[in-house]
Amino acid sequence: MEEFKYNQDQIDTYLTKRGKLTESERQAFEAYMRSNKSFAEEVKLQEDIILGVDYHFNKQLKDKLKAVSGRQKENSKQITLKSFILVAASLSAILFVFFLSNNKTDTESLYNTYYQPYPNIISPTERSANNKEQILAYKLYDQGNYEKAIIAFDELIAETNKNATAKFYQGISYIELENYDLALKSLYEATEGKDRRFIIPAKWYLVLCYLKTEEKE
């Protein structure tokens, strides 16, 4: 007998439109999460990604992204994980056209339109799970003290050997300091890491860095 599985649309509904579920549907979904650890971890992963996307993109930027993808809907207040991937891909294609046009004014304008620093979605519990260095690094990032945050992230990365999450936030810190070459290095390493919450956002910021540095290839 084939094992029952929830599809992506049902997961999106639970995470972003829970009010549309009946009480019995919600209870059945949560019961399945309790009985299936890997499914529960996947739902939590997607919840963290959506949390970061939702905080990162204010309503004005969301509307621009939806317009770019041709998928704008009235009264839509949230971007699901699936639609975020689609609009990011659409924007990447449009960036390519701008690269070919060699129009510096347009590329600069496009960067300024779509860039915002990513919010810190690492929970206090997760931050304190390892050591004081980890707490300090994310505290400095939250404060906008990016120079010291980079140093703290370096110490954290050296201590843990590889830390894709720290690499991601270090990359954003480098962008804030307009050091795009080092930002590219950190963000690329974040895409190679195991923390799936930051792979898609890291690729988004890589595109914006390439836009800023006009690296067409």
Side-chain angles (χ1 to χ4, degrees):
M1 184 175 180
E2 186 177 352
E3 182 183 356
F4 174 77
K5 291 183 180 179
Y6 281 95
N7 62 38
Q8 185 60 51
D9 287 336
Q10 290 170 310
I11 295 174
D12 282 342
T13 299
Y14 177 78
L15 291 175
T16 65
K17 303 172 185 175
R18 205 166 300 187
K20 292 188 175 183
L21 295 175
T22 66
E23 183 63 18
S24 61
E25 287 173 333
R26 183 188 64 78
Q27 289 180 1
F29 190 96
E30 292 175 352
Y32 186 72
M33 282 198 294
R34 288 193 294 271
S35 67
N36 189 320
K37 183 179 178 181
S38 60
F39 177 73
E41 289 174 350
E42 178 63 26
V43 173
K44 180 63 170 65
L45 167 69
Q46 294 196 29
E47 184 177 32
D48 284 344
I49 294 174
I50 290 171
L51 175 68
V53 170
D54 199 48
Y55 279 148
H56 174 57
F57 294 113
N58 59 30
K59 188 177 187 306
Q60 182 182 11
L61 185 49
K62 289 180 186 179
D63 289 342
K64 290 175 183 176
L65 284 168
K66 291 173 187 174
V68 165
S69 68
R71 299 170 63 88
Q72 189 167 17
K73 297 179 181 179
E74 293 183 2
N75 301 322
S76 179
K77 294 183 179 179
Q78 286 185 305
I79 292 180
T80 65
L81 175 60
K82 182 168 59 179
S83 63
F84 172 67
I85 294 171
L86 289 173
V87 295
S90 299
L91 179 61
S92 297
I94 288 176
L95 293 181
F96 178 68
V97 174
F98 274 90
F99 277 143
L100 292 181
S101 72
N102 286 313
N103 190 326
K104 182 169 180 58
T105 302
D106 285 340
T107 55
E108 187 72 20
S109 174
L110 203 59
Y111 174 88
N112 291 333
T113 298
Y114 290 106
Y115 175 75
Q116 294 184 64
Y118 205 73
N120 180 6
I121 65 169
I122 305 300
S123 68
T125 301
E126 189 178 348
R127 280 180 242 174
S128 61
N130 291 329
N131 49 46
K132 293 181 180 179
E133 286 79 5
Q134 188 163 358
I135 298 173
L136 175 63
Y138 289 105
K139 181 178 180 180
L140 290 168
Y141 182 88
D142 288 337
Q143 294 172 344
N145 193 338
Y146 298 112
E147 288 186 0
K148 289 186 177 179
I150 287 169
I151 296 171
F153 282 127
D154 262 336
E155 293 174 357
L156 183 60
I157 292 163
E159 183 175 313
T160 57
N161 190 17
K162 275 194 173 182
N163 189 320
T165 306
K167 282 287 184 183
F168 173 78
Y169 283 107
Q170 186 182 60
I172 305 302
S173 299
Y174 277 125
I175 292 177
E176 286 292 307
L177 297 177
E178 300 184 355
N179 191 332
Y180 301 106
D181 289 337
L182 290 179
L184 284 166
K185 183 177 182 297
S186 293
L187 291 169
Y188 179 76
E189 290 179 8
T191 67
E192 298 289 295
K194 293 181 179 180
D195 195 333
R196 291 169 55 207
R197 292 175 296 177
F198 300 104
I199 292 175
I200 295 171
K203 289 180 178 179
W204 169 271
Y205 284 104
L206 279 173
V207 171
L208 289 175
C209 282
Y210 287 132
L211 176 66
K212 189 72 174 179
T213 57
E214 299 187 353
E215 294 184 52
K216 299 176 186 178
E217 288 296 324

